[in-house]
Amino acid sequence: MSRAPRGGGTQDRQSEIVVFAGRDMEEQGRRELEGQWGRVCDRLRKEIGDKAFKTWFGEVELGELKLGKIRLYAPTRFVRDWVGRHYGDRVLAYWQSVNVEVKNVEVNLVPPPTPRRPNEIIAVPPVPSSPGYAQPMPRLGPAIGRGDEVVQAPEGRYTFANFVVGKPNEFAYAAARNIAEQDRPLPERNPLYIFGGVGLGKTHLMHAIWHALRERDPRTRVLYLTAESFVNKFIHALRTKNTGAFKEMFRNVDVLMVDDVQFICGKETSQDEFFFTFNSLVEQNKQIVLSSEKPPSELHDLEERMRSRLGSGLVADIHASTYELRLSILQSRAEAARVPVPAAVLEFLAHKINTNIRELEGALNRVVAHGQLIGREITVEMAQDVLHDLLRQADRKVTVDEIQQRVSSYYNIKLAEMSSPRRARAVARPRQVAMYLAKQLTTLSLPQIGKRFGNRDHTTVMHAVRKIEELKVSDNSIAEDVELLKRQLQG
Ligand code: ADP
Ligand code: MG
């Protein structure tokens, strides 16, 4: 159970310092308070039993003592109300027995946490401090839109040190490092264009460049923003007739990084502005780093001159991850979190979750969180259990061929009927079921599915999908057929 103190705002902290006069005193006071809370918890546990204690107090955290009032924090409204109503008096009584100064106890809802990315790993050690991190970035020109949006703060743990290098990403990694280490951009390597699938580390590398550059020279002006944010700011500037300020933002940067540039495709006015910004910085020999989910050649809806310009520097791709890379990322994450996770579990995850690194991390987080919160031993079975929804998806690689075979043998018709033009109910209905399952269980589009069923039109497939959806509601036997087939195919 979490006993991490949850300090109030800085305001509270400051007034606490006054009470205890000095930092050491403050810490001592804190420790004493935690000791008292520990004793109160022990008595509570004895009285209400382990189970009830875990249920209600398992995630309640100690806040602070101020002017005789103890503040506790509950994770949800429900727990807050329940604990307050049913245990408030007891908590107060126990507390008074260990500290007479306490006059009342208040249960609050936990203050909203500092925004955490959903994929952030639990219990990561503090990020190695770099001079740039934790300091607000310098304002680059006047604010546009909401002030703090001007520059996006980099993610602290996205450093080179935390980036695991393997075959799929070694080139992109080397290229990124090179930028962080060179004094002047080499024209033939400018821009650096990193591309690769979702969740493979593009943003991580860009933030790592940011950290490294600022570590080298805190005065370096690095501007990182997503293409989406670029477009939004530009549109805002147009709307408020303040394009001057928008341009000003880019004027003095040393390095410009734009993440997910594929977003700009098809947005013509923004594209022009981006191109203009881009060119003027290149002319000044400023380094530019771009990332994208696609190689330059596949940026459709982008003017040709721009496409060739974006790819005119160094293009580095990140390939799909390999088992080895996934495993070493998991190992390094588990190590960083200081949670012993058995090798077999890491191997299991690296083997099963092969989509992207973000999902991989998410899976590890879930397993670790389960282990910590529920106190369950981390084993392969436990991971399987905790991740069953994710693993189902990962395993869900059903093909149209399999579907057609299963369905035709289930209904006892010839496989060829799946693609035949016959419309008799006896074959048409099973065919519709198969189309429905193809839509549900594969990632194919309606036209792709139609093709596999005797070159039928996508509207026919759509009709089949709707029909079966309707029948599943009105006709129990169809609903059962579909469920059974689905289970067989996925099992
Ligand atoms: P992208 O921008 O390519 O979609 P991200 O950079 O956001 O992907 O990466 C997704 C998650 O995976 C992040 O938490 C990142 O730290 C992690 N990650 C990706 N590649 C690596 C790597 N090689 N080593 C360590 N972590 C990685
Ligand atoms: Mg990204």
Side-chain angles (χ1 to χ4, degrees), residues 372-433:
Q372 287 177 334
L373 296 177
I374 310 191
R376 238 173 114 181
E377 196 195 341
I378 300 180
T379 62
V380 173
E381 289 73 43
M382 179 264 213
Q384 239 160 353
D385 196 21
V386 170
L387 303 173
H388 72 276
D389 53 327
L390 257 184
L391 297 175
R392 262 284 255 301
Q393 264 177 29
D395 282 339
R396 206 175 90 171
K397 286 210 190 74
V398 184
T399 65
V400 174
D401 283 340
E402 281 167 337
I403 293 173
Q404 293 182 335
Q405 269 160 22
R406 279 267 177 205
V407 174
S408 51
S409 80
Y410 182 86
Y411 287 106
N412 214 1
I413 59 173
K414 288 207 195 78
L415 179 60
E417 298 290 12
M418 286 288 147
S419 347
S420 82
R422 267 198 342 131
R423 291 185 186 195
R425 167 77 66 88
V427 294
R429 185 71 81 228
R431 195 187 292 130
Q432 286 177 326
V433 168

Side-chain angles (χ1 to χ4, degrees), residues 117 119-121 155 157-166 169 173 194-207 224 259-260 291-293 318 321 325 328-330 332-333 356-362:
R117 306 186 154 222
N119 57 342
E120 196 172 346
I121 196 138
E155 171 73 36
R157 67 181 185 86
Y158 287 0
T159 58
F160 283 126
N162 286 342
F163 191 82
V164 179
V165 186
N169 59 26
Y173 170 83
I194 303 174
F195 78 90
V198 178
L200 295 182
K202 303 181 295 294
T203 298
H204 188 136
L205 279 180
M206 291 178 111
H207 289 207
Y224 164 91
D259 207 348
D260 288 319
S291 91
S292 168
E293 283 171 16
I318 305 186
S321 65
L325 179 63
S328 40
I329 289 175
L330 287 173
S332 93
R333 283 285 185 267
N356 70 52
I357 310 300
R358 192 172 297 139
E359 289 209 346
L360 190 68
E361 288 185 333

Side-chain angles (χ1 to χ4, degrees), residues 87-356:
Y87 301 109
D89 292 345
R90 244 170 299 183
V91 174
L92 177 61
Y94 292 161
W95 217 307
Q96 284 175 329
S97 73
V98 293
N99 182 352
V100 288
E101 276 170 45
V102 173
K103 298 286 174 276
N104 60 46
V105 172
E106 190 179 271
V107 189
N108 297 299
L109 204 56
V110 278
T114 40
R116 252 182 53 172
R117 306 186 154 222
N119 57 342
E120 196 172 346
I121 196 138
I122 290 159
V124 170
V127 184
S129 65
S130 68
Y133 180 54
Q135 281 172 21
M137 281 192 61
R139 270 284 166 72
L140 301 168
I144 301 190
R146 275 172 281 139
D148 52 359
E149 250 182 30
V150 172
V151 183
Q152 282 145 325
E155 171 73 36
R157 67 181 185 86
Y158 287 0
T159 58
F160 283 126
N162 286 342
F163 191 82
V164 179
V165 186
K167 268 261 167 301
N169 59 26
E170 62 186 5
F171 186 61
Y173 170 83
R177 267 227 100 112
N178 186 253
I179 288 192
E181 279 154 18
Q182 82 202 353
D183 286 321
R184 296 240 122 235
L186 298 173
E188 66 272 22
R189 292 196 197 152
N190 200 14
L192 168 61
Y193 184 106
I194 303 174
F195 78 90
V198 178
L200 295 182
K202 303 181 295 294
T203 298
H204 188 136
L205 279 180
M206 291 178 111
H207 289 207
I209 293 174
W210 193 98
H211 288 299
L213 284 168
R214 301 270 301 177
E215 201 159 343
R216 237 185 87 179
D217 182 354
R219 287 163 310 176
T220 312
R221 275 161 309 198
V222 192
L223 178 56
Y224 164 91
L225 75 177
T226 60
E228 185 176 1
S229 158
F230 181 95
V231 170
N232 289 342
K233 284 185 211 314
F234 181 60
I235 291 171
H236 183 84
L238 286 180
R239 205 180 302 132
T240 56
K241 303 198 169 45
N242 199 4
T243 49
F246 178 81
K247 292 192 162 86
E248 184 66 25
M249 183 165 73
F250 300 95
R251 229 182 49 153
N252 290 317
V253 304
D254 299 311
V255 178
L256 170 67
M257 298 200 262
V258 183
D259 207 348
D260 288 319
V261 289
Q262 78 277 351
F263 186 86
I264 287 181
C265 298
K267 306 198 169 54
E268 274 168 34
T269 337
S270 303
Q271 230 180 74
D272 288 345
E273 185 59 33
F274 177 73
F275 196 46
F276 173 81
T277 307
F278 177 91
N279 278 338
S280 81
L281 288 172
V282 171
E283 269 159 34
Q284 298 167 56
N285 202 22
K286 302 293 174 65
Q287 179 72 54
I288 293 185
V289 183
L290 307 169
S291 91
S292 168
E293 283 171 16
K294 295 177 178 156
S297 60
E298 280 174 34
L299 292 175
H300 307 299
D301 287 328
L302 195 67
E303 281 177 52
E304 179 49 40
R305 59 177 181 140
M306 190 161 166
R307 196 180 311 144
S308 65
R309 193 72 202 261
L310 294 188
S312 65
L314 184 61
V315 177
D317 56 345
I318 305 186
H319 300 277
S321 65
T322 56
Y323 171 78
E324 287 74 26
L325 179 63
R326 290 194 296 274
L327 186 60
S328 40
I329 289 175
L330 287 173
Q331 283 163 343
S332 93
R333 283 285 185 267
E335 215 167 276
R338 298 203 191 87
V339 184
V341 183
V345 173
L346 297 181
E347 283 158 19
F348 172 75
L349 294 178
H351 178 67
K352 284 286 185 181
I353 316 261
N354 49 18
T355 39
N356 70 52

